[in-house]
Amino acid sequence: MRWYHSLTLRLLLLFWALLFAVASSGFLLAIWYSQPETPEPLSAEISNSLSPILSDPSIFSSLTPGRILAGNYRVAAAVTPEEGPTRLQLEPNLANTHRRELLSLLDAQQPQQLRLPNGMLLGPFGFEAQRILLIRPLTEEEREQQQISAKQAEDAQTLVLLFGSLLIAVLLGFWLVRPLKKLIGATREIAAGADKLHLKRLPKRNDELGELARALETAAHDLKVSRDAQRRLLSDVSHELRSPLARMQVALMLSQDDDADANPHLVQMSRDVDRLGTIIERILSLSRLENGLVKLHPEPVNTYELAQTLAADLTYVDEQQGKRVLVLKGEWPVTATDDELLRLVIENLVRNALQYTDGIIELSCVRHDNDNCTILVRDHGDGVPEAQLEQLFEPFYRGDPSRNHKAGVGLGMALSLRAANVLGGSVTARNHPDGGLEVSINLPIQHLQETEQEQQEPA
């Protein structure tokens, strides 16, 4: 990337342009605000009131700057017919602040009036070759009008600065924020598994944003390739490992038909093969959930009957273990969900409790409102140290040595958490106040009417 394509340099130039534009507009408005008033025609009333005094030659020839003519009128400037440096006479205070206005008004062809900050300048009045300017204090009405004009000029200056800077800021924000929003959307698309990103022309930019957009496109493609390779590996592992394991299990069963206790090595091998099959099945199930290969098939499910069926199945497999599972009555809802996946969540938690404790395992349900419920799996063991509660759902974590360890690979609770997330819920664990570990399965209640409407909607 060349230096003139740098986003940092462009931002610096844009901020400089913004400051320059604001400062320039303020400077121009200050010049516009400081422009002098324009002369206006002298009113007939003033001209008629001054004419009798200024028509007297003796009075007119005696008028010099600073002299009071009548009332509030005094002479501001005079041009005498005599040649020399004294021909132009200006009132000293006015000459220091408004010399240009005095000279301009002396050259006017007709009498005019010009409002100054400290008075109203009138003239020129002439008699033969002599010309004079008069000045009087501003009236109350003229002062109010002067203040209103100044306030309007200040308001206009403020509005121009405000809206000018706002417009530049909006353009700058649109130029910078819009591509950032596209990049945020692209990262969400990558997280959702998309391999084609909606970045439009953003990757064609030559600055840092364009470079980031191209990197995201490359990352999306690489992740897609990685996901496809992982799924192919998952399929190959599933096919290659299950078949020999199944043959090994059949061969071991046939070898133990005559005398199951004759060869303890075969018995141990049988247990290890069963355990290896369980590990492989759990790993494959966990991979399917994490890669989105599990598809939901929502059907009306009575959660209480599902829990009772699970307890009955456990009793059928191992009567002693099954008797320890107690399904308590409560507010078990009927919800539209995937019964196999929901059973997977509950069964893994129950089996985990059976493996690590020797007491009763209680299954209960609390319905919070019409849209949410919590299924509770509680054992009566020693509980888990508080610092290790969050680690229970990590793959291959097998708890604290103080608990009663039996067979287990540390995948049951991790699998339950992933499956609950697929169902739109979550799983948390805590130590029950009365002892034992309590695992909560928080699930949304999908009403049957909503499911039927979704199924009736055209694809």
Side-chain angles (χ1 to χ4, degrees):
M1 182 178 65
R2 299 186 179 181
W3 65 269
Y4 51 81
H5 291 152
S6 172
L7 180 63
T8 303
L9 181 60
R10 292 184 179 184
L11 287 177
L12 289 176
L13 291 175
L14 283 173
F15 282 121
W16 175 82
L18 173 62
L19 294 175
F20 180 78
V22 172
S24 299
S25 60
F27 177 73
L28 292 176
L29 284 173
I31 294 177
W32 173 72
Y33 172 66
S34 63
Q35 288 181 349
E37 298 270 351
T38 57
E40 299 176 356
L42 189 65
S43 65
E45 180 181 358
I46 296 176
S47 180
N48 294 333
S49 63
L50 294 176
S51 292
I53 302 175
L54 298 177
S55 60
D56 188 344
S58 60
I59 295 177
F60 201 97
S61 61
S62 65
L63 296 177
T64 57
R67 180 177 177 180
I68 297 177
L69 178 63
N72 294 327
Y73 292 93
R74 61 187 176 89
V75 180
V79 177
T80 64
E82 301 175 358
E83 297 294 334
T86 60
R87 184 173 184 273
L88 175 64
Q89 300 176 5
L90 303 177
E91 202 274 330
N93 293 332
L94 289 175
N96 293 332
T97 56
H98 301 288
R99 183 182 181 88
R100 184 170 60 87
E101 288 83 354
L102 293 174
L103 296 178
S104 175
L105 201 60
L106 280 173
D107 292 336
Q109 300 299 321
Q110 297 295 332
Q112 298 176 341
Q113 62 182 19
L114 177 63
R115 185 170 60 191
L116 301 178
N118 54 352
M120 182 69 74
L121 192 63
L122 309 171
F125 301 99
F127 187 83
E128 296 181 353
Q130 189 175 358
R131 299 164 69 87
I132 64 171
L133 295 178
L134 302 179
I135 189 169
R136 63 168 176 82
L138 296 175
T139 64
E140 196 66 30
E141 182 180 356
E142 290 171 342
R143 290 184 182 279
E144 291 180 359
Q145 184 63 34
Q146 188 180 43
Q147 293 176 357
I148 292 174
S149 300
K151 183 67 168 57
Q152 290 176 346
E154 292 176 358
D155 292 343
Q157 181 181 8
T158 303
L159 289 176
V160 170
L161 290 175
L162 177 63
F163 287 103
S165 59
L166 179 62
L167 177 61
I168 297 176
V170 169
L171 294 176
L172 177 61
F174 182 78
W175 181 80
L176 182 61
V177 173
R178 188 178 180 185
L180 289 178
K181 287 185 175 180
K182 289 182 181 179
L183 293 173
I184 293 173
T187 56
R188 291 173 178 170
E189 291 175 3
I190 292 176
D195 59 320
K196 297 293 184 180
L197 306 181
H198 298 84
L199 293 172
K200 297 183 179 179
R201 298 180 57 85
L202 190 56
K204 297 182 179 180
R205 292 178 56 154
N206 295 321
D207 54 13
E208 288 86 346
L209 291 178
E211 187 175 353
L212 179 56
R214 292 188 292 272
L216 286 177
E217 285 186 331
T218 303
H221 177 266
D222 293 343
L223 287 174
K224 178 181 181 299
V225 173
S226 176
R227 284 193 302 269
D228 292 343
Q230 187 176 8
R231 290 173 181 176
R232 286 193 300 269
L233 176 62
L234 178 62
S235 177
D236 294 342
V237 169
S238 176
H239 180 269
E240 296 297 332
L241 292 182
R242 283 180 175 177
S243 297
L245 277 175
R247 291 193 296 269
M248 291 172 64
Q249 289 173 335
V250 172
L252 287 171
M253 290 174 60
L254 294 176
S255 300
Q256 295 175 351
D257 283 344
D258 297 335
D259 188 356
D261 298 327
N263 193 338
H265 301 293
L266 291 178
V267 176
Q268 181 63 41
M269 184 180 295
S270 178
R271 287 199 298 266
D272 290 340
V273 169
D274 292 338
R275 176 178 168 83
L276 182 59
T278 302
I279 294 174
I280 293 174
E281 184 62 33
R282 294 285 178 85
I283 293 176
L284 293 177
S285 300
L286 189 59
S287 299
R288 291 192 189 95
L289 290 174
E290 292 178 336
N291 286 280
L293 299 180
V294 175
K295 303 298 181 181
L296 293 180
H297 301 284
E299 296 178 354
V301 176
N302 187 318
T303 54
Y304 181 66
E305 293 180 357
L306 177 66
Q308 287 184 316
T309 304
L310 172 60
D313 292 345
L314 292 173
T315 303
Y316 180 79
V317 175
D318 189 330
E319 184 175 358
Q320 295 299 322
Q321 294 278 45
K323 288 181 178 180
R324 294 172 51 200
V325 180
L326 181 61
V327 181
L328 304 179
K329 292 184 178 180
E331 301 174 310
W332 295 85
V334 176
T335 179
T337 186
D338 191 305
D339 58 341
E340 290 297 331
L341 206 54
L342 179 57
R343 173 172 173 141
L344 175 66
V345 176
I346 302 174
E347 183 174 356
N348 277 285
L349 296 177
V350 172
R351 289 186 179 276
N352 184 79
L354 290 173
Q355 291 170 358
Y356 284 92
T357 64
D358 297 323
I360 296 296
I361 311 299
E362 296 178 355
L363 285 176
S364 61
C365 184
V366 177
R367 189 165 181 169
H368 305 291
D369 49 41
N370 200 36
D371 298 318
N372 297 277
C373 69
T374 299
I375 299 175
L376 303 172
V377 180
R378 180 196 171 191
D379 62 43
H380 289 76
D382 298 329
V384 176
E386 294 292 333
Q388 299 180 7
L389 285 175
E390 295 184 359
Q391 296 177 285
L392 293 178
F393 300 99
E394 297 179 1
F396 300 105
Y397 182 77
R398 301 182 61 186
D400 189 78
S402 63
R403 304 192 75 194
N404 182 22
H405 285 269
K406 297 182 181 179
V409 296
L411 288 174
M413 298 190 71
L415 188 59
S416 294
L417 176 61
R418 304 305 196 277
N421 291 337
V422 173
L423 293 174
S426 61
V427 179
T428 57
R430 67 160 189 159
N431 288 314
H432 196 276
D434 297 331
L437 181 69
E438 183 180 69
V439 182
S440 302
I441 308 169
N442 305 298
L443 293 172
I445 300 176
Q446 186 72 24
H447 301 288
L448 302 181
Q449 295 83 353
E450 297 178 0
T451 305
E452 292 175 357
Q453 291 177 359
E454 292 176 358
Q455 292 176 351
Q456 292 175 1
E457 290 180 357

